[in-house]
Amino acid sequence: MRIGFLGLGVIGRPIAMHLARTHQLRVWNRTAARATSFAKETGAEAVTTPRDAAIEAEVVFTCLPNSPEVEEVLGGGLEGGLGPESTLVDLTSGIPETSRRIAGRLSNRGIGWLDAPVSGGTAGAEAGTLTIMVGGEAPVFSRVLPTLELFGKRIVHVGPAGAGQALKAVHNMLIAVNVFALGEGLTTLAKAGVAPRTALEVINNANGRSFVSERLVPERVLSGAWPRTFRLALLDKDVAIARDLARTEGIDAPMMDRVSELLHQARTELGEEADHVEAIRLHERRAGVELRG
Ligand code: NDP
């Protein structure tokens, strides 16, 4: 099968690697050098326009920061290149409302749409074990499922167009809440004389545990490794999407409002390239303690 892939960023690249192993892949990236080096490594074809990535492709993937960038690339030639029987699968953690609009427009031309944001990070993408939450029409989902299985392990059709991205935004809001709550909680305990490692040993064997307490804080904060795999700026975007969705649905969501504000502040202080877990550095700085050790 011929597949197009646009967006070879931190998460897009390892996903595209799986596709390149079994399919004829055409890749496009805004910074062309990334597409060229990917093509050299995998045997895929690097193309210079979004339109060329879509021509004759049965399935086209986009993996961009947010929905406005997806719209930009669609308007920049991708939409015109999509054939009538093709499907656009948007892996972007984007905006449900924008996706519903795009899906409607494409459907008028007989083109399928799935929003299929992923969870599992770069490790999950490399291992091909991502969780994929999919919005769109059931027959389109069934048709594309074998291709999603090349990089996903738990793949769930969660509703119509936009539903995958709605779920992803709320999912990431939960990660954000946990990062900030652990930053506050562990610095409080450190000052109160409880060592972070001891605190986590207890929490992780009791009911306050979470993915952030079990994996992210021990592997990234206590170890002092602070790797950069998922930008805090992207988490800020995700929580803003969840907060806007709550507003649209008439839900009072003070927790989402507050964590969105905190992420915004952290983004201003730490910059666009900081990893999401680095928010905990700010708690350390303010408290005058280090959780490492
Ligand atoms: P990156 O910032 O690493 O990559 C973004 C990609 O989008 C790059 O290929 C970049 O091109 C391209 N891009 C940015 N702006 C534009 C634009 N205006 N027009 C065209 N292309 C553009 O992000 P990630 O790969 O980390 O994330 C991609 C999506 O996946 C996001 O929605 C994110 O929330 C989500 N996600 C990320 C995870 C992670 O662990 N990193 C995990 C799960 C989901 P260029 O090379 O030119 O900069």
Side-chain angles (χ1 to χ4, degrees):
M1 184 162 68
R2 193 183 281 282
I3 296 178
F5 199 101
L6 297 93
L8 298 168
V10 169
I11 201 86
R13 192 178 200 281
I15 292 174
M17 293 287 273
H18 291 289
L19 300 172
R21 279 189 203 111
T22 41
H23 292 286
Q24 271 186 286
L25 193 68
R26 277 194 184 143
V27 293
W28 176 85
N29 194 71
R30 180 181 63 174
T31 305
R34 291 208 168 117
T36 318
S37 78
F38 179 88
K40 259 195 202 139
E41 201 179 313
T42 61
E45 184 187 349
V47 294
T48 52
T49 67
R51 184 187 164 82
D52 286 342
I55 294 287
E56 293 169 2
E58 283 171 55
V59 180
V60 176
F61 289 91
T62 40
C63 190
L64 303 175
N66 197 359
S67 298
E69 288 83 0
V70 175
E71 281 280 36
E72 199 182 313
V73 168
L74 278 164
L78 172 60
E79 196 154 343
L82 289 165
E85 301 283 300
S86 64
T87 303
L88 180 61
V89 181
D90 187 18
L91 303 171
T92 306
S93 303
I95 304 168
E97 198 187 326
T98 309
S99 293
R100 279 195 294 275
R101 203 169 57 230
I102 299 171
R105 212 164 67 213
L106 295 180
S107 139
N108 292 337
R109 288 180 47 216
I111 300 165
W113 162 274
L114 297 176
D115 44 292
V118 303
S119 174
T122 47
E126 279 156 19
T129 56
L130 290 169
T131 294
I132 315 178
M133 39 210 112
V134 188
E137 289 176 9
V140 182
F141 173 71
S142 305
R143 210 163 58 224
V144 178
L145 183 58
T147 313
L148 299 178
E149 283 169 342
L150 294 172
F151 56 89
K153 193 169 165 198
R154 187 166 172 74
I155 306 165
V156 188
H157 181 223
V158 300
Q165 290 175 335
L167 177 51
K168 172 70 188 181
V170 170
H171 170 274
N172 275 20
M173 178 274 296
L174 295 172
I175 293 178
V177 167
N178 275 283
V179 166
F180 282 94
L182 277 156
E184 290 177 12
L186 292 176
T187 50
T188 301
L189 286 170
K191 290 216 115 174
V194 183
R197 198 170 288 282
T198 307
L200 279 179
E201 261 167 36
V202 173
I203 290 167
N204 288 338
N205 284 292
N207 294 342
R209 67 187 181 276
S210 65
F211 176 72
V212 182
S213 70
E214 287 182 317
R215 300 284 308 276
L216 294 182
V217 175
E219 289 171 13
R220 297 171 177 229
V221 180
L222 298 198
S223 67
W226 299 106
R228 290 187 160 178
T229 63
F230 175 49
R231 293 190 294 120
L232 183 137
L234 291 171
L235 187 60
D236 179 32
K237 167 263 309 181
D238 291 332
V239 175
I241 293 170
R243 183 206 57 201
D244 291 349
L245 186 62
R247 280 193 192 141
T248 306
E249 299 301 339
I251 304 292
D252 184 30
M255 185 83 93
M256 295 197 207
D257 287 342
R258 185 66 187 130
V259 80
S260 185
E261 277 168 25
L262 292 170
L263 269 165
H264 239 70
Q265 282 167 16
R267 184 173 176 174
T268 308
E269 284 184 56
L270 295 166
E272 290 299 298
E273 297 308 317
D275 187 76
H276 65 304
V277 178
E278 288 182 67
I280 294 178
R281 281 187 194 277
L282 299 177
H283 294 104
E284 288 184 323
R285 264 183 227 164
R286 283 177 201 135
V289 294
E290 263 204 23
L291 299 177
R292 184 181 178 171

